[in-house]
Amino acid sequence: MGSRYLIRKVVGACLTIFMIVILNFVLFRMMPGSPDRILLRNPNVTADAMAAARIRWGLDKPLIPDQLVDYLESTASGDLGFSFKFHGEPVTDVLAGRIWPTVILFGLGEVLAIIFGLALGAYSGWRRGGPIDYIGNGVSLILYSMPYFVIGILILGVFAIGLHWFPTSGMLTVGGSGDDSFPSQLLDFLGHLALPVTTVAIGLIGQYSILMRSSVIETLGEDYITTARGKGLTSGRILRSHALPNALLPAVTLIAINLGYVIGGAITVEVVFNWPGLGTLTVTALEARDYPVLQGIFLLLSISVVVANLIADLIYGRLDPRVRS
Amino acid sequence: MTDPSRSGTPALDDEVADAAAVATRAAALDAQTLIRGRRQWPLPKQADPNAPLLVVEHLTTRFKMAGGSIKAVDDVSFTLNDGEALGIAGESGCGKTTTALSLVRLLPANGRIGKDSSVRLFGIDLARKSEDALRRYRWREISIIFQGAMNALNPVRRVNEQIAEPVELRLKVNKADAMKRAGELLELVGIPARRGQAYPHELSGGMRQRAMIAMALACDPAVVIGDEPTTALDVMVQAQILELLERLRRELGLSLILITHDLSVIAETCDRVMVMYAGKVAEEGAVSVIFRTPRHPYTQKLIGAFPNIHADRRTLDVIPGSPPDLREPPPGCRFHPRCPFAMAVCSVEVPPEVTFADGVRVACHLYPAGSDGAPITRPTKDAIAGGVAEAGLGAGVFSDRDEAFDELEDALDPAPSHTLSPGHGLTDDHSLDQIQ
């Protein structure tokens, strides 16, 4: 891959992140109210104490440039401020504790959805009109049109409440499962993970399979597929070495763009299963008006979307020689 | 050449014809051994070494559509000899490409070949082969130069990989040797071997078409089909590609089927031409004969529709109307609704294919079996009117009637007249020389 392509993409991503950081500052300053108003809820607060607080928080300085510069400096040094809700804990610490559950849940869900969704879609498109296509396409449409929380509640109702196969909520059994050894801890974690991951995967499979199906069907109609048939290749080889490399291109784009929405949708899945990730944290922070934490989540999610897009661009560059030049 | 139908005693006719046939057959066998001797790989196992290269008989191809099925190719027969180039001409949608793709059944999923069809390559009937068995003949024995190489080459794979692929698969050559052969093939068509590293989009249109040709030659096939190989290219590049094809024919003794609507391409490149209309053969024979004296009215019109830069400026012929909807082809001769000479019989009976002494095969009621190759009846204006009226045609064709009649007069004139001069459709002196 050309290094110029790589540099261009990385520089583009950095610029986007910088714009997001600025926007993150502006958006939250545009919200009604001000942090010092919270102090006014206390009837005994004095004007001096108010002024002192304003100086301490830097609110006495003009918004632009002083506050913006302060904000940029601290953001760059990894200081995202302090949480209101979690007793003044640094926002970075609050986020750090919640990132991994979300990454594991959605990372695994995405991977499963990509594997099964793309495989189902590719097969349906290849054997268009066959039984797998009819059933697969129908089921995919239904799943595609269902919001995560509906899928989550159905799964929860059947497998946790009805059949008691899996725990209903959380990431680990509260108070420990009685055995602290690593294997049993892991098993406990996986048991808790199973239903939410399935929910995420199912929610995405329909979408990916429908996209992949239409992409494969479109690709199979291309002239170079006729050429491949003319060359006497078996249909399996035509699919593998001519159709799929081309059909995957739109899928890569969709998956990357989707990642933003996926994390948005994450909130509902995490809430349904009470999964201690960024989704539940968002809800908690919203309820408590914990602006610094919200700001941190906002920044983190934006950056992950940008990074996902960057990765998609790089994969796209590998898959499609046309975008490199 | 002796014309048996015009000479005296029938017995003598037969002898002359036999002698001629023997001579032609011997010449064909010579060419055959010469060209087949050049093959780097043996003939297919079931091949009959003495059989003609390609004999297509009663080829019928149907497409199943929502409202019934259409016959895109209807009872087409033709032969291709070793080292020969056959041009297939006709308007868009007349079945040229489908005919060629039917040879190796490279059809869309709804396409089927008729039960009576036979496609015999070295005497092996490909139409009887299962899909899996036929696969081994694809590209190995019959390869295709597709039109629009931009789309016919896979955009995400390197050009040399794509050329090497059939070599590796069909000839069971290892990857490294296949890539080496790809390089040689690229050199053969005038592309430096290292350019094979490029992706299709990195090559110019002409280079891509050359690469496509190199790919078609990859397995040293018995027959190469050129499906409008110059259509999407500009005129200069077209000329280069045609020159390349001619050179390859000379050097490799290619047997070529060239599909095009550009008659000048056929005049320059081909030995024989087959004119198709609405899925049927209208006329077939040597290029030198057909371009000089086209018999079928459709051929005449087709040739007349081509500009001639050497002649005085004139209005080009147009063929009124468009090819019929094949879901409901007109009864009788499919060309009769557009034919200026249509007679009563034309809308009723399908004209049989008749082969004349000069080797030209025509399917037209103006040239019935047993005639000498000139239109036997001189239809009166009334007969034409009757025919046209019976065909249920409107005034648009009537207005053309006098003109049509004049043209017929010209056609019946023994001396070649301007409308039938060989210059039609030819673009340069070279091609004029070739057919004269």
Side-chain angles (χ1 to χ4, degrees), chain B residues 184-382:
Chain B
E184 290 164 8
L185 286 161
L186 285 170
E187 296 276 355
L188 180 69
V189 298
I191 299 177
R194 59 179 170 79
R195 291 293 279 145
Q197 286 293 317
Y199 289 95
H201 74 279
E202 294 168 335
L203 300 177
S204 68
M207 293 258 266
R208 277 197 290 269
Q209 198 61 48
R210 281 166 192 271
M212 185 76 229
I213 293 173
M215 191 156 91
L217 300 176
C219 299
D220 196 15
V223 177
V224 174
I225 298 169
D227 184 6
E228 310 244 11
T230 57
T231 299
L233 304 169
D234 70 63
V235 191
M236 290 304 293
V237 181
Q238 274 189 17
Q240 290 167 8
I241 295 292
L242 286 176
E243 211 168 284
L244 171 68
L245 279 176
E246 273 181 78
R247 177 168 69 78
L248 293 171
R249 266 196 72 203
R250 257 197 329 271
E251 289 174 7
L252 309 176
L254 286 185
S255 309
L256 189 66
I257 296 176
L258 195 66
I259 300 161
T260 177
H261 55 254
D262 188 342
L263 289 177
S264 61
V265 169
I266 290 182
E268 277 186 65
T269 322
C270 296
D271 306 313
R272 280 190 303 131
V273 58
M274 179 163 90
V275 178
M276 288 186 67
Y277 184 77
K280 288 182 91 67
V281 176
E283 188 166 1
E284 183 264 328
V287 165
S288 54
V289 179
I290 287 188
F291 277 62
R292 199 185 303 263
T293 50
R295 288 197 175 92
H296 198 287
Y298 181 61
T299 317
Q300 291 175 13
K301 283 285 193 182
L302 213 55
I303 292 176
F306 259 82
N308 176 6
I309 59 167
H310 299 291
D312 294 337
R313 268 200 296 179
R314 63 179 175 93
T315 315
L316 292 177
D317 271 358
V318 289
I319 312 177
S322 52
D325 181 350
L326 288 175
R327 275 171 297 194
E328 285 171 55
C333 172
R334 289 182 176 181
F335 188 57
H336 84 261
R338 300 170 76 191
C339 180
F341 310 119
M343 300 175 290
V345 64
C346 296
S347 56
V348 184
E349 247 175 74
V350 178
E353 292 181 1
V354 182
T355 309
F356 293 102
D358 51 5
V360 173
R361 175 162 54 121
V362 187
C364 177
H365 287 301
L366 289 173
Y367 311 91
S371 69
D372 58 359
I376 48 151
T377 45
R378 180 183 274 262
T380 61
K381 284 192 182 192
D382 290 342

Side-chain angles (χ1 to χ4, degrees), chain A residues 222-227 229-235 237 241-243 245-246 249 319-322 324-325, chain B residues 105-108 135 138-139 142 146 151-157 162 165-166 169-170 199 201 212 215:
Chain A
E222 296 283 351
D223 289 349
Y224 52 79
I225 297 298
T226 312
T227 309
R229 282 178 62 207
K231 283 177 175 177
L233 308 186
T234 58
S235 56
R237 173 146 182 155
S241 56
H242 290 278
N246 283 287
L249 297 176
L319 290 178
D320 190 350
R322 283 167 298 186
R324 278 177 236 160
S325 35
Chain B
R105 268 187 270 150
L106 210 56
L107 300 166
R135 218 162 29 74
R138 289 186 180 154
W139 223 260
I142 300 183
F146 289 101
N151 301 324
L153 294 170
N154 190 332
V156 305
R157 301 199 43 204
Q162 299 191 46
E165 190 178 33
L169 251 73
R170 290 274 78 82
Y199 289 95
H201 74 279
M212 185 76 229
M215 191 156 91

Side-chain angles (χ1 to χ4, degrees), chain B residues 143-159:
Chain B
S143 69
I144 303 159
I145 303 166
F146 289 101
Q147 63 170 306
M150 181 74 234
N151 301 324
L153 294 170
N154 190 332
V156 305
R157 301 199 43 204
R158 293 181 198 280
V159 169

Side-chain angles (χ1 to χ4, degrees), chain A residues 42-106:
Chain A
N42 183 341
N44 299 326
V45 73
T46 62
D48 284 353
M50 278 289 290
R54 286 179 65 86
I55 289 166
R56 187 152 60 87
W57 292 338
L59 292 174
D60 57 326
K61 288 188 250 175
L63 208 56
I64 293 169
D66 298 53
Q67 284 195 37
L68 177 62
V69 171
D70 281 353
Y71 165 77
L72 288 179
E73 271 174 15
S74 39
T75 305
S77 62
D79 175 8
L80 296 178
F82 301 92
S83 164
F84 298 161
K85 161 86 180 166
F86 298 99
H87 316 293
E89 214 182 315
V91 170
T92 41
D93 291 358
V94 175
L95 293 183
R98 301 294 196 107
I99 283 178
W100 292 114
T102 296
V103 167
I104 290 169
L105 174 57
F106 286 94

Side-chain angles (χ1 to χ4, degrees), chain A residues 153 155-168 195:
Chain A
I153 287 169
I155 286 184
L156 193 68
V158 174
F159 295 101
I161 297 166
L163 296 169
H164 294 291
W165 286 358
F166 296 100
T168 52
L195 294 187

Side-chain angles (χ1 to χ4, degrees), chain A residues 192-278:
Chain A
H192 281 85
L193 182 64
L195 294 187
V197 152
T198 311
T199 306
V200 171
I202 284 178
L204 289 169
I205 279 176
Q207 201 178 349
Y208 292 168
S209 122
I210 287 170
L211 175 93
M212 192 61 186
R213 175 181 181 270
S214 63
S215 183
V216 165
I217 288 173
E218 200 188 312
T219 308
L220 287 178
E222 296 283 351
D223 289 349
Y224 52 79
I225 297 298
T226 312
T227 309
R229 282 178 62 207
K231 283 177 175 177
L233 308 186
T234 58
S235 56
R237 173 146 182 155
I238 292 173
L239 184 74
R240 258 179 294 124
S241 56
H242 290 278
L244 284 186
N246 283 287
L248 275 175
L249 297 176
V252 169
T253 315
L254 176 96
I255 289 167
I257 293 172
N258 233 8
L259 214 67
Y261 300 108
V262 169
I263 295 167
I267 296 176
T268 57
V269 181
E270 289 192 359
V271 170
V272 167
F273 290 96
N274 200 18
W275 186 259
L278 290 174

